[in-house]
Amino acid sequence: MPIIKGLEWTFDTAAQQYEKMRPEYVQELYQDIFAYCPINETSRAVEVGIGGGQATLPILKTGCNVTAVEYGKNFSELCQQKFQDYPNFSVVTSKFEDFPYQSNTYDLIYSASAFHWVPEGIGYPQVFDMLKSGGVFARFANHPYKDKQKEELHQAIQKIYSVYMPNSFEGNEYSEEDAKTLADIAQKYGFTDICYKLYHRTRTFQAKEYTALLGTYSGHMVIEEQTRKAFFSEIEQAINRFGGEITIYDTIDLQLARKP
């Protein structure tokens, strides 16, 4: 589904549901980050767009001091409560572009399924300026794809989308070429030692669980409530007609880049 600029605010209206339904990230991803950028209790990090905190705990557990920069007030409050037992955690409610910072300060800046909301020409130079020499920018995201084992179910769901979200389109499965293209952006802004990795997993949902997940996506949130209920009801009926479950095939991409 395409990114719709200007809908950043929608996620904060469903912070609790987002925190519950959005997935965490695979442990292999963090192992690769820590191999590339060893951090400990002397390190300082910034998380750009913490959301429901799905990517935060493995960083906190290193003892690293983490400052989350989060645009949504509800998300900020949720994560302040969620990580209250970690004195090395703090959150600032702000757009990343407006975040007050000192140059050459941070060892790690990372963002999970959020950096696409920051304008490229602002975000990358700001990250570069915030990092110490040798500091690392880690950008990663989850990209769900259709149930590959149930083509009839997929076609049924696409037919429902053609009625309720006719301007949406079915994208291709996220590829290595996509990950490389995204990784190469950092080179334009002075980063070096650039690399990327892909990870794969599946998630299986009952019908109502799946529509609860859809309810955390910005394009679905802005649909008028009664229309959205009818839309989700038809999706649930389709899933139940084809066995009562739907499996999503996730590709997670990680891009790593270093400030010289």
Side-chain angles (χ1 to χ4, degrees):
M1 184 171 296
I3 296 166
I4 306 174
K5 291 294 185 182
L7 294 185
E8 306 95 304
W9 60 271
T10 56
F11 301 110
D12 198 52
T13 66
Q16 295 287 343
Q17 184 175 352
Y18 186 103
E19 192 275 337
K20 177 182 177 182
M21 295 305 304
R22 287 298 184 98
E24 296 181 348
Y25 296 85
V26 296
Q27 287 304 307
E28 293 87 346
L29 178 145
Y30 296 103
Q31 292 167 5
D32 288 332
I33 291 175
F34 299 149
Y36 186 96
C37 177
I39 55 175
N40 55 38
E41 63 276 1
T42 68
S43 306
R44 297 183 67 187
V46 167
E47 179 172 359
V48 182
I50 191 172
Q54 282 81 2
T56 310
L57 193 56
I59 308 295
L60 284 176
K61 284 184 174 180
T62 67
C64 176
N65 290 281
V66 176
T67 300
V69 182
E70 172 53 52
Y71 182 39
K73 181 176 182 291
N74 292 328
F75 276 135
S76 293
E77 292 176 352
L78 183 154
C79 288
Q80 193 70 64
Q81 177 70 22
K82 184 174 182 177
F83 301 118
Q84 62 180 326
D85 294 334
Y86 289 86
N88 53 325
F89 175 78
S90 62
V91 60
V92 176
T93 304
S94 169
K95 283 190 173 183
F96 181 64
E97 303 94 298
D98 300 327
F99 173 61
Y101 68 90
Q102 293 183 332
S103 301
N104 307 307
T105 301
Y106 296 97
D107 302 281
L108 172 68
I109 297 175
Y110 69 101
S111 186
S113 298
F115 204 70
H116 56 274
W117 295 112
V118 182
E120 177 191 314
I122 297 175
Y124 278 89
Q126 183 169 324
V127 168
F128 191 90
D129 190 44
M130 290 170 66
L131 287 169
K132 299 175 181 177
S133 177
V136 169
F137 179 39
R139 176 178 181 170
F140 48 102
N142 185 61
H143 306 274
Y145 191 60
K146 68 180 183 180
D147 191 330
K148 299 179 183 181
Q149 304 301 317
K150 293 184 177 180
E151 184 60 30
E152 288 183 314
L153 170 58
H154 173 67
Q155 292 302 324
I157 290 176
Q158 288 302 113
K159 187 175 181 179
I160 297 167
Y161 268 86
S162 72
V163 174
Y164 290 95
M165 293 183 68
N167 294 323
S168 65
F169 64 91
E170 177 191 357
N172 296 322
E173 188 170 17
Y174 196 86
S175 68
E176 185 170 344
E177 182 179 351
D178 294 325
K180 182 180 185 304
T181 298
L182 193 56
D184 287 344
I185 293 174
Q187 188 172 6
K188 296 192 298 182
Y189 298 96
F191 290 91
T192 60
D193 196 18
I194 295 165
C195 63
Y196 65 89
K197 298 200 174 186
L198 296 179
Y199 316 87
H200 299 91
R201 68 178 173 200
T202 59
R203 292 176 288 148
T204 299
F205 300 90
Q206 302 293 317
K208 285 192 176 296
E209 291 175 329
Y210 182 66
T211 55
L213 173 66
L214 293 181
T216 68
Y217 293 136
S218 57
H220 297 70
M221 288 181 186
V222 296
I223 299 173
E224 188 274 329
E225 184 178 0
Q226 292 304 314
T227 302
R228 186 171 65 247
K229 285 181 178 179
F231 179 22
F232 286 1
S233 176
E234 289 192 31
I235 290 177
E236 289 172 12
Q237 291 172 36
I239 293 171
N240 286 327
R241 285 200 308 273
F242 292 95
E245 289 185 339
I246 184 169
T247 297
I248 301 303
Y249 287 72
D250 287 337
T251 300
I252 301 169
D253 63 320
L254 167 66
Q255 289 80 31
L256 293 165
R258 193 180 309 278
K259 179 177 177 177

